Amino acid sequence: AIRRPGRDISINTYGAMVDVAMDAAKELAKDGIDIEVLDLRSLLPFDKEAVLESVKKTNKVILLHEDTQIGGFAGELAAIISEEAFEYLDGPIRRITAPNTPVPYSPPLEEFFLPKVSDVVRVARELNAY
């Protein structure tokens, strides 16, 4: 694949996870990994063109959200990217989501349940190695 100048990885996200992605981007910049954070802002409608352009620019994508993986919006985004921008990918589409369990009520358990900066940093480093 041809590497294009610019960002190394695109993180597509929305809501509270935008802050998580931005914090992870700052941490990853210390390793020389350049992150583009795409804030979807709305899921229906969502900006499909922006998602596809980001994939075409970076060639690697992380889909991040608070919802569980099964039934979450990242699955829909992954399908669209696979169908419409597969030839631009230089690595697997990675999803960072909550586990496939009910949302806990207890604040400490909820903190454990939600994706964290450390999760994004770990997955981005793995994806960057492709």
Side-chain angles (χ1 to χ4, degrees):
I2 298 171
R3 291 295 303 156
R4 292 161 183 76
R7 307 288 186 176
D8 295 319
I9 299 171
S10 172
I11 299 176
N12 292 224
T13 191
Y14 57 92
M17 291 294 109
V18 172
D19 291 332
V20 171
M22 295 299 291
D23 290 345
K26 290 176 192 167
E27 183 70 25
L28 291 159
K30 296 174 188 174
D31 295 341
I33 301 171
D34 198 11
I35 300 294
E36 175 175 272
V37 176
L38 180 61
D39 180 357
L40 297 173
R41 296 195 177 236
S42 169
L43 301 185
L44 193 58
F46 77 98
D47 192 347
K48 181 168 87 169
E49 291 76 25
V51 170
L52 296 175
E53 283 304 312
S54 184
V55 170
K56 290 174 183 179
K57 183 177 15 172
T58 64
N59 310 110
K60 295 178 182 177
V61 64
I62 293 172
L63 307 174
L64 169 66
H65 63 65
E66 292 180 77
D67 198 0
T68 56
Q69 187 178 61
I70 294 174
F73 193 68
E76 185 64 29
L77 286 176
I80 290 167
I81 292 167
S82 293
E83 291 169 355
E84 300 187 33
F86 182 79
E87 65 272 15
Y88 292 93
L89 292 171
D90 286 343
I93 298 169
R94 296 294 307 268
R95 292 183 288 173
I96 303 172
T97 67
N100 293 315
T101 63
V103 178
Y105 180 74
S106 163
L109 290 176
E110 184 178 354
E111 176 64 28
F112 176 78
F113 177 82
L114 295 173
K116 292 170 236 6
V117 171
S118 59
D119 299 324
V120 178
V121 168
R122 177 182 47 78
V123 170
R125 286 178 177 149
E126 291 170 2
L127 188 55
N128 191 59
Y130 270 84

